Amino acid sequence: MAATRTSSAPAPTAAPGASRDRVLDLVRAGCLVVVVVLHATMAGIEIGPSGTQITNALENQPWFTPVSWIVQVMPLFFVVGGFAGITQWRRMRSAGAAPADFIRVRLTRLARPALVAFAVIAGALAVASAAGVSPDLLAQLGFRLSQPMWFIGVYLGTSALVPLLSRLHERAPRATLALLVSAAIGVDLLSITTGSPAIGFANLAFVWLAVQQIGFWYADGWFRFRSHGQLLGMALGAFALLLTSTTAGPYPADMLANLNPPTINLVLLGVVQVCLLSLVSARLAVLVSRPRLRAAVDVIGKHSLTAYLWHMPALSLLAAGLLALGSPWPEPLGTSWWLTRPLWLVGIALVLVPLAAWAGRFERGPIGPGPRTPGRASAGVVIAIAAVVAVLAAGFTTVSATCGALLLLVALRLQRSAPLQPVFS
């Protein structure tokens, strides 16, 4: 085995103009596909005497617990986000940008496509209600549509803190990561000992900031400078801690259950995932160099946020169309249900692709000049997060989606220094 550097501190920071990592582009695209397929598979639609019911078909299924350890890819999402955030901030900083500039760019990239999605959902729910759709069915639909939106609010908040946390990372990388991990463990302990799960939602900050921080270490090349033996040892160690915490400890074994609220197990899972990724990164680099795969990854990357925002509406549109046509619905998890899942996934893709093509322009639209005012940038982030909280608290309803869209509009307006004009002009 070739000798490698083994210091415990991160490698020197990457050059400000470092190019993007194609392997991480592939990972992000793969994670997005996993999320879409997982949510599509979870969708259980039952038609009975009490009407149409929308359920999570995989909930409380013992066989799904080990599967959840594979399909729980959110830690990888935030590792990639940490890499992308710190490399973008370093490039902007080297060009003379201020933290407010970075926050404004990130906020606009996230809030603008979310505004469109919220506004369209509000209009669609209003039309459905006027057409006589059952309020109970609309409430179920609104709840399911709103569930994935937590990611938008949390990712916005963690991204806004990149300039601050990158500075702390560059000064004291180990202490910064240790502090975030310790805070996450502290929240878990307080939530468990008091029997108050609501306390655990504080880890929407600490857990995901810690995982994002691991992305900073990845950007600095720390994992690249570990030997295969070291990476494998860290992965096995983190995996052993996961097994202990979920078998002998107080945590659920289902990794999706560890998501709501987030627990320290997601940080451990992130360590396992990033170590395994580092072990196979050379092979993945060869794989992603193939022109067709690289082109597919680029397309998904350009529309990643749009696909995330619209995959549940696409699923709902397909289901509504099938219901209107009177198509039979097999019993969830039955033989017929599993046999029809491939067609179900293809149908969702056929709806999602044109939706993403239309809505993708809002994700990649130009960002004009704005004020270099930290207060306005910070206020915009807080208001945008409040928009997400509004729909998470009430589910998507005509009122909550409209309020969320209006809050996002206010957040975006705060970032504009020019006279008011249409956001999507």
Side-chain angles (χ1 to χ4, degrees):
M1 182 181 297
T4 58
R5 195 169 66 131
T6 58
S7 76
S8 58
T13 57
S19 61
R20 64 186 309 115
D21 189 318
R22 286 287 185 181
V23 169
L24 291 189
D25 288 344
L26 174 63
V27 169
R28 179 174 59 181
C31 288
L32 181 60
V33 171
V34 169
V35 168
V36 172
V37 171
L38 177 62
H39 288 169
T41 307
M42 284 179 167
I45 300 175
E46 303 178 58
I47 301 177
S50 58
T52 303
Q53 301 294 318
I54 305 173
T55 63
N56 180 350
L58 304 182
E59 193 171 20
N60 299 321
Q61 297 297 318
W63 61 264
F64 181 71
T65 296
V67 176
S68 72
W69 289 54
I70 300 172
V71 299
Q72 176 54 276
V73 294
M74 279 301 167
L76 269 181
F77 257 127
F78 279 90
V79 168
V80 175
F83 174 93
I86 197 169
T87 52
Q88 181 185 13
W89 165 235
R90 284 169 175 169
R91 287 195 300 269
M92 293 181 66
R93 183 178 61 186
S94 68
D101 298 316
F102 175 84
I103 295 172
R104 183 177 64 85
V105 170
R106 282 291 188 150
L107 171 60
T108 304
R109 287 292 188 211
L110 288 164
R112 187 163 53 189
L115 166 58
V116 177
F118 282 27
V120 171
I121 290 172
L125 291 174
V127 170
S129 179
V133 177
S134 162
D136 178 63
L137 180 57
L138 288 179
Q140 294 180 57
L141 177 62
F143 172 70
R144 299 296 174 184
L145 285 173
S146 68
Q147 283 185 303
M149 295 302 156
W150 70 268
F151 173 78
I152 304 301
V154 173
Y155 193 68
L156 175 58
T158 55
S159 294
L161 291 173
V162 163
L164 171 62
L165 288 175
S166 68
R167 185 171 67 216
L168 295 176
H169 170 73
E170 289 162 0
R171 293 179 178 178
R174 286 168 289 187
T176 303
L177 181 58
L179 182 62
L180 291 171
V181 170
S182 298
I185 295 173
V187 169
D188 277 0
L189 291 176
L190 187 60
S191 176
I192 292 168
T193 55
T194 61
S196 301
I199 294 175
F201 285 102
N203 269 339
L204 285 170
F206 297 121
V207 162
W208 297 123
L209 285 172
V211 179
Q212 176 179 262
Q213 211 74 9
I214 294 173
F216 291 0
W217 287 62
Y218 191 93
D220 286 344
W222 189 87
F223 292 92
R224 188 173 67 250
F225 282 89
R226 304 306 105 189
S227 70
H228 282 194
Q230 289 172 321
L231 292 171
L232 187 59
M234 285 189 293
L236 290 175
F239 185 75
L241 289 174
L242 271 176
L243 283 177
T244 302
S245 70
T246 55
T247 54
Y251 294 98
D254 187 330
M255 282 300 135
L256 296 190
N258 281 277
L259 191 63
N260 189 31
T263 70
I264 192 63
N265 279 344
L266 295 176
V267 179
L268 291 172
L269 184 60
V271 172
V272 174
Q273 291 172 338
V274 75
C275 288
L276 294 179
L277 169 63
S278 299
L279 283 169
V280 300
S281 60
R283 294 181 181 180
L284 292 179
V286 173
L287 184 65
V288 79
S289 66
R290 297 177 180 177
R292 290 185 180 178
L293 181 58
R294 185 172 65 247
V297 167
D298 288 344
V299 169
I300 294 174
K302 290 178 181 178
H303 299 85
S304 57
L305 180 59
T306 300
Y308 187 88
L309 285 167
W310 288 93
H311 74 279
M312 289 299 287
L315 185 156
S316 303
L317 283 173
L318 176 62
L322 293 174
L323 286 169
L325 293 172
S327 297
W329 289 92
E331 180 182 356
L333 302 181
T335 302
S336 297
W337 189 85
W338 282 113
L339 289 175
T340 56
R341 290 313 86 187
L343 288 175
W344 173 246
L345 293 173
V346 170
I348 292 171
L350 291 175
V351 178
L352 180 58
V353 168
L355 272 178
W358 169 77
R361 54 183 168 162
F362 304 117
E363 180 176 354
R364 290 294 169 180
I367 299 177
R372 303 186 71 177
T373 309
R376 292 178 69 174
S378 301
V381 170
V382 172
I383 292 170
I385 292 175
V388 176
V389 172
V391 299
L392 289 175
F396 269 121
T397 66
T398 303
V399 173
S400 67
T402 301
C403 289
L406 290 174
L407 286 171
L408 289 170
L409 181 61
V410 171
L412 287 167
R413 292 295 191 187
L414 284 174
Q415 312 314 309
R416 299 176 67 90
S417 57
L420 292 178
Q421 50 186 289
V423 174
F424 305 119
S425 59

